[in-house]
């Protein structure tokens, strides 16, 4: 099942990929901290990982905290920005945020397709 702790970004992102119709496929169980998702062998063996966003993909960063952060891409916008949904952004557990990633930052993330 879901490897994330309830209320955390990993829990929400794993749940979203398992349940949302825009998802690009259920992620494997047993994933650890968000900072490692894009390089975990159970992910890289089944999913394309790159720096190009796609609706339904996971965005992943190792920045921000020791644990890293993940969320999901819900829109690619005409101005080059992307819209994402994420949980526990700004250390607010159990809160889902919708955020816009600026076009000049989009390529800084890994995307798990």
């Amino acid at each position: 099942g879901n490897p994330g702790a309830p209320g955390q970004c990993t829990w929400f992102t794993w749940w979203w990929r398992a349940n949302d119709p825009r998802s690009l496929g259920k992620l494997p169980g047993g994933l650890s901290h968000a900072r490692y998702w894009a390089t975990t062998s159970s992910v890289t063996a089944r999913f394309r990982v790159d720096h190009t966003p796609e609706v339904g993909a996971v965005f992943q960063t190792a920045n921000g905290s020791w644990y890293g952060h993940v969320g999901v891409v819900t829109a690619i916008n005409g101005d080059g920005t992307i819209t994402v949904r994420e949980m526990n952004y700004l250390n607010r557990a159990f809160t889902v945020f919708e955020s816009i990633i600026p076009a000049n930052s989009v390529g800084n993330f890994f995307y798990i397709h």
Side-chain angles (χ1 to χ4, degrees), residues 36-104:
Y36 303 116
W37 279 27
T39 57
T40 300
S41 61
S42 63
V43 169
T44 59
R46 291 183 47 207
F47 300 96
R48 180 171 46 96
V49 178
D50 59 25
H51 293 283
T52 304
E54 178 182 8
V55 172
V58 171
F59 76 90
Q60 182 260 318
T61 181
N63 296 333
S65 77
W66 186 86
Y67 300 107
H69 188 66
V70 289
V72 293
V73 178
T74 58
I76 308 289
N77 305 311
D79 61 358
T81 63
I82 62 173
T83 304
V84 299
R85 296 202 80 191
E86 54 197 325
M87 183 174 275
N88 198 30
Y89 181 64
L90 303 174
N91 293 318
R92 292 181 55 195
F94 295 100
T95 302
V96 176
F97 291 85
E98 185 166 278
S99 304
I100 303 292
I101 305 295
N104 64 349

Side-chain angles (χ1 to χ4, degrees), residues 16-35:
W16 192 94
R17 283 285 296 248
N19 292 286
D20 195 280
R22 296 169 290 181
S23 169
L24 299 177
K26 186 176 177 181
L27 296 166
L31 296 172
S32 66
H33 298 303
R35 73 180 301 122

